[in-house]
Amino acid sequence: MTLQPKTPGENNFAYFGGATQRQENTTNVFDNIPDSTYTSKPYRTWANLFNVHSIIPIIENEYRGGLQLNSDNLLNTFGFFAGVDYYRDLKKFEYNAGFTLKSFYPILRATYRNRPRRTLYNTKSGVLQGDWKKTTYNSRHQSQ
């Protein structure tokens, strides 16, 4: 048994992009390519170290909220953040800051936090309240 080719039937494909193609394909985009020349200038690492790009409101819950500033240099090799949170129940502030250095291998990170804390403890005269600040420093490297 030999295979006999059949003639293709009528094309019933619905091409929904026809109107868009007629609207967008008015000219060839490669006909008018601008000939631009750009001058290079040296990148100054220390002058471009901080580039603050956002201020973020932080809301953890109904008792804690604050603001955080984020910065990345133009090459995205150094990131920095600094923030402050207010603890409404303690009526005290937390201060935090940190950086990420990605220009070398491994990636280095460091974080500083100064948090308010409260505890209740028993004494002979009754239960007393103790308030203090807990300061933490964290550093790590990421070698992945």
Side-chain angles (χ1 to χ4, degrees):
M1 181 164 121
T2 60
L3 296 176
Q4 298 296 324
K6 292 185 179 181
T7 59
E10 183 181 350
N11 184 0
N12 293 319
F13 178 74
Y15 181 60
F16 295 110
T20 305
Q21 185 177 12
R22 286 189 299 277
Q23 175 185 338
E24 299 296 327
N25 285 340
T26 56
T27 61
N28 186 354
V29 295
F30 297 109
D31 287 341
N32 188 12
I33 298 175
D35 184 19
S36 302
T37 57
Y38 299 99
T39 58
S40 64
K41 56 183 180 178
Y43 179 79
R44 308 226 186 274
T45 304
W46 295 105
N48 295 309
L49 192 61
F50 294 101
N51 179 29
V52 176
H53 55 76
S54 56
I55 300 174
I56 302 171
I58 306 290
I59 301 172
E60 294 284 332
N61 53 37
E62 69 252 29
Y63 299 109
R64 181 176 169 200
L67 290 174
Q68 182 173 327
L69 270 67
N70 285 342
S71 169
D72 289 300
N73 68 349
L74 298 178
L75 296 178
N76 201 25
T77 56
F78 182 79
F80 176 78
F81 74 90
V84 61
D85 291 336
Y86 181 69
Y87 287 73
R88 191 179 78 170
D89 54 343
L90 302 176
K91 296 183 175 70
K92 297 193 183 289
F93 286 95
E94 170 191 332
Y95 306 100
N96 54 59
F99 71 88
T100 303
L101 181 63
K102 297 180 272 188
S103 58
F104 304 109
Y105 186 79
I107 297 172
L108 303 174
R109 298 175 195 263
T111 305
Y112 165 81
R113 296 197 189 282
N114 188 338
R115 295 181 175 178
R117 293 291 185 227
R118 174 172 289 165
T119 189
L120 301 173
Y121 56 96
N122 290 323
T123 63
K124 293 180 182 179
S125 59
V127 177
L128 295 178
Q129 172 180 307
D131 290 342
W132 76 93
K133 288 280 203 169
K134 178 181 179 184
T135 302
T136 58
Y137 304 94
N138 294 324
S139 63
R140 64 181 181 181
H141 70 279
Q142 180 180 347
S143 57
Q144 296 176 355

